[in-house]
Amino acid sequence: MPEFAARAHQSTLPKTVNEAIQESKIPLAKFDVVAFTQGPGLVGSLLVGTSFAKSLAYALDSSLIAVNHMRAHVLANFIEPPFPTFPFICLTVSGGHTQLVLVRDYLCMELLGETKDDAVGEAFDKIGKWLGFPYPGGPNIDTYAQHGDPTRFQFPETNVTDLDFSFSGIKTAFRYSLARECEKHDQFMIKYRNDLCASIQATLVNMLCDKLKLAIDRTGVHTIAIAGGVAANTYLRHKLHLLASEVHGKLYVPKQSYCVDNAAMIAMAAYHQYLANDLAYWESMVRPRLPLSVG
Ligand code: KG4
Ligand code: ZN
């Protein structure tokens, strides 16, 4: 898969960038900065993007900006109003990451907690696969759960210390309990698919909301924002609205196309780095494990 992703980047990037430039109706010569994702991510895809950006910047005689993908997810909240006010806590939930971030300013972010193993989106996708859904399983679980009973099945929530998360235990518990029940009744999965989706979704969402509540209590910050593909989840949005009103806070949710991976969020991060004169060099390298603390 990592090699497949890198090859897909290589074959689609020139055409995609070309189309975006044409759609923008801005002449190429007017672009004075080219921004690229430095990390974190899959090394092959990062190398393709970085090399492409350097070539384009060289051809245009423009500057380069290296962007942190996780910071960019947070800054997706500033693409379209209403914008959150600083400081706020951002829950970033994607297929690769689960993070709680204290955002003091556009470029000043502190990691409060993150997953110690699987990302929540990864848990949704694996569980979706065992329930017979195509990849990614998250949206299907969301849809089927809307017709199910979230209290029908109980799954053990894993609690790690402080503001960190862990999703691998619940994923395994789900797998074994599903296999056990399917062995007992062969129609089990078909009969209870909606309830299984609703129950596992409620458990995963509760795990996220419990830690977010703890982060709010610890920091005293009541403004909440959300980012990443899992932000599309209907039940998560519902629970976050309840949590925000419970703590007398405010919730900000970017539109779905800005929650999933997108280039606008990279441009938004680059814009603020440009204002702070944070430019990259020709020697800048990809950083597959780039931490959130590095801007
Ligand atoms: O941020 P994203 O587009 O890509 C990265 O992983 O960086 O997130 C993709 C993830 C997948 O795991 C997908 O299952 C999940 O977002 N997702 C959802 C929903 N829509 C997308 N998970 C739960 N409910 C959804 N409605
Ligand atoms: Zn992402």
Side-chain angles (χ1 to χ4, degrees):
M1 273 304 166
E3 185 181 331
F4 179 80
R7 285 171 181 271
H9 274 69
Q10 196 164 51
S11 66
T12 53
L13 199 49
K15 188 167 166 273
T16 309
V17 172
N18 228 351
E19 276 178 19
I21 291 169
Q22 278 177 7
E23 225 174 90
S24 76
K25 298 200 171 59
I26 298 170
L28 252 186
K30 284 213 163 185
F31 288 95
D32 37 24
V33 178
V34 178
F36 63 94
T37 303
Q38 185 173 32
L42 296 174
V43 66
S45 306
L46 294 172
L47 282 169
V48 173
T50 305
S51 304
F52 185 90
K54 286 186 184 182
S55 312
L56 186 59
Y58 186 79
L60 295 176
D61 196 21
S62 61
S63 306
L64 270 174
I65 290 186
V67 172
N68 181 319
H69 182 80
M70 298 317 294
R71 286 173 165 253
H73 263 303
V74 173
L75 295 177
N77 278 283
F78 294 96
I79 299 174
E80 272 179 17
F83 303 139
T85 47
F86 298 113
F88 64 91
I89 296 174
C90 184
L91 175 68
T92 310
V93 276
S94 74
H97 295 271
T98 307
Q99 296 187 332
L100 274 170
V101 183
L102 176 59
V103 189
R104 298 184 201 280
D105 204 347
Y106 299 107
L107 301 177
C108 182
M109 301 184 194
E110 185 188 322
L111 184 67
L112 298 173
E114 66 181 337
T115 182
K116 291 290 157 205
D117 38 60
D118 297 343
V120 66
E122 211 172 336
F124 267 107
D125 295 337
K126 282 269 168 61
I127 289 166
K129 191 173 146 195
W130 298 326
L131 288 170
F133 299 133
Y135 178 85
N140 275 303
I141 293 181
D142 190 348
T143 308
Y144 281 76
Q146 285 166 32
H147 309 284
D149 172 6
T151 62
R152 181 75 182 72
F153 300 104
Q154 260 77 49
F155 299 102
E157 291 187 21
T158 320
N159 197 2
V160 277
T161 50
D162 275 342
L163 296 169
D164 289 328
F165 303 90
S166 165
F167 293 102
S168 80
I170 186 168
K171 203 184 69 183
T172 312
F174 181 89
R175 186 181 194 172
Y176 286 131
S177 109
L178 183 66
R180 239 184 352 257
E181 295 304 324
C182 285
E183 215 160 83
K184 284 195 244 160
H185 343 268
D186 54 355
Q187 294 299 306
F188 179 80
M189 200 160 83
I190 296 168
K191 188 167 172 205
Y192 292 109
R193 184 138 59 185
N194 294 349
D195 293 342
L196 283 164
C197 287
S199 302
I200 193 66
Q201 174 180 268
T203 314
L204 292 171
V205 167
N206 283 341
M207 287 164 77
L208 293 172
C209 290
D210 287 350
K211 292 287 173 160
L212 177 57
K213 172 81 171 48
L214 190 59
I216 292 167
D217 292 345
R218 291 257 178 97
T219 58
V221 171
H222 291 202
T223 306
I224 309 163
I226 185 166
V230 184
N233 186 268
T234 318
Y235 189 66
L236 176 62
R237 286 176 180 231
H238 167 68
K239 292 296 275 191
L240 288 178
H241 275 111
L242 293 181
L243 178 59
S245 64
E246 187 193 323
V247 300
H248 305 291
K250 226 172 158 199
L251 175 68
Y252 293 85
V253 184
K255 81 178 184 206
Q256 179 55 10
S257 51
Y258 299 140
C259 282
V260 296
D261 284 352
N262 66 88
M265 71 185 196
I266 305 297
M268 182 48 64
Y271 170 69
H272 288 285
Q273 288 178 241
Y274 180 72
L275 295 181
N277 205 25
D278 176 15
L279 302 181
Y281 306 97
W282 294 113
E283 298 78 23
S284 296
M285 301 267 234
V286 298
R287 297 196 52 189
R289 294 181 175 277
L290 185 66
L292 182 99
S293 55
V294 180

